[in-house]
Amino acid sequence: MEYQFSERVKSLKPSAIREILKNSSDPSVIPLSAGNPAPDAFPYEAVQKISQELLQNTPIDALQYGVTEGYTPLRQHLLSYMEQKHHVGTQNDDILITSGAQQVMDLLTKTLLNEGDTVLCEAPSFIGSLNTFRSYRAKLVGIPMEEDGIDTQKLEEALNREKNVKYLYTIPNFQNPSGITMSLEKRKKVYELCREHNVIILEDNPYGDLRFAGEDVPSIKSLDTEGVVVYAGSFSKVISPGMRVGYAIGPKEVLQKMVVCKQGEDVHSNMWAQIVCHRIMTEYDYEAHLENLRAIYRRKSSILLEAMERYFQPLGITWSHFEGGLFAWCTLPDGVDMLEFVKKATEHKVCVVPGTAFLTDESEPCQSFRVNFSTPTDEQLTEGIRLLAETYEEMTK
């Protein structure tokens, strides 16, 4: 049989991270490449108890079809919670529960883009979202990052230069992969620029609740009075990625079209998982749970920082400042082949993700790589950084 693939998928490649994760499945390999929550971050006892009660008392609620928009009590609670705690959402906004935040990217892209339309995104940016945009044959234009977020001058130039720009994709808090948080000044500027150019902002915020240092910065959506921002939230990093529950809050007119698109994808998101998320938020001390997560990642990040200061700093390997999230973005001195470094690190039984995986154009030069500090054990974090330093020293002898 000769298979004829669609033009849309011919040029698509497997996720670089997923391929690397296959290599790191070996128990002897230190997985600094993953992006999974820490094993002790899961509220598994609450999930177990809620599931038992649910399946014993009202099993049909969890096992029957639901509405595409999502489990109504969860939608109502989230709208109230996000408005009260984060000032997100207005009377002109609605909410859609999705199968993970990744589906928000897919549904909005399907709703807005024609083939060849432009998506602006931070460079570097999250590979999963970039691959979604690529699957719709979007033209991806990367905007460089600075220490306090996206370069707003380069953003303005792109908005003036590029044709058919449908939206800007940004991760303002503890950006994946850079760990950078966008300043409030830049958030206001980004909002003003996109509003002036009639370009939607897709604000992806999976890590916002994982701040373990510094002060919270208001979301771009909290500045939105004119229906410019679609906000993507997720329970993957605060309850469970395996449950696949995310949500979009945005202009009703846009979300109504996303609902129709979702009906053609999966009808509705997992009912059991939505009910569990709702009950964890309403029947347990959810804020205490979030504080526990912050404590876990504060401790793990300090172990990573201590190891990098000990092993990386003397070699001239640098890293960007981060105050939350799960990642550190490390940069090798000029003259060292980053891709060769990542390959040799794997031979030393430690996996990291090459920075090129996060670029709109993977052929661009890049000296950086991403390190995850949530998945490895404390011992693996220190040993992994030591092995990376050893790899670097071998390459530069």
Side-chain angles (χ1 to χ4, degrees), residues 49-108:
K49 187 173 184 224
I50 292 166
S51 299
Q52 186 174 359
E53 291 173 354
L54 177 62
L55 294 174
Q56 187 170 350
N57 299 326
T58 53
I60 303 307
D61 290 353
L63 302 177
Q64 186 56 279
Y65 281 116
V67 295
T68 305
E69 288 82 353
Y71 180 56
T72 300
L74 177 60
R75 294 176 68 235
Q76 291 174 341
H77 180 76
L78 271 174
L79 278 175
S80 174
Y81 176 86
M82 291 301 295
E83 196 282 324
Q84 290 175 21
K85 186 175 182 185
H86 300 293
H87 307 292
V88 164
T90 69
Q91 289 184 334
N92 296 317
D93 286 320
D94 205 349
I95 185 168
L96 168 65
I97 307 298
T98 58
S99 300
Q102 182 79 27
Q103 193 180 44
V104 179
M105 319 312 158
D106 182 83
L107 293 175
L108 186 68

Side-chain angles (χ1 to χ4, degrees), residues 264-388:
E265 288 191 6
D266 61 359
V267 184
H268 64 79
S269 297
N270 184 305
M271 286 300 298
W272 162 78
Q274 292 183 72
I275 295 170
V276 171
C277 288
H278 173 249
R279 293 192 181 177
I280 286 178
M281 289 192 80
T282 57
E283 298 176 9
Y284 289 75
D285 192 339
Y286 186 61
E287 296 307 314
H289 169 65
L290 294 180
E291 279 301 324
N292 180 55
L293 298 184
R294 294 178 193 119
I296 290 170
Y297 295 127
R298 185 179 297 114
R299 179 181 58 78
K300 293 187 78 70
S301 69
S302 67
I303 293 169
L304 174 68
L305 285 168
E306 186 178 325
M308 291 195 299
E309 286 167 2
R310 180 179 177 184
Y311 294 111
F312 279 4
Q313 203 162 302
L315 302 177
I317 302 173
T318 60
W319 56 92
S320 57
H321 178 68
F322 58 95
E323 296 181 328
L326 309 177
F327 305 110
W329 185 242
C330 304
T331 303
L332 298 168
D334 290 339
V336 179
D337 187 323
M338 183 273 297
L339 290 174
E340 184 65 18
F341 169 80
V342 171
K343 181 181 176 184
K344 286 192 175 297
T346 305
E347 295 170 6
H348 282 74
K349 298 293 186 179
V350 56
C351 278
V352 295
V353 185
T356 48
F358 303 98
L359 300 179
T360 55
D361 180 358
E362 294 183 10
S363 66
E364 288 182 11
C366 180
Q367 287 298 104
S368 301
F369 58 95
R370 193 192 75 178
V371 169
N372 165 261
F373 57 83
S374 59
T375 308
T377 65
D378 297 353
E379 294 75 21
Q380 285 178 323
L381 276 174
T382 301
E383 179 63 7
I385 297 301
R386 188 192 69 78
L387 289 171
L388 290 174

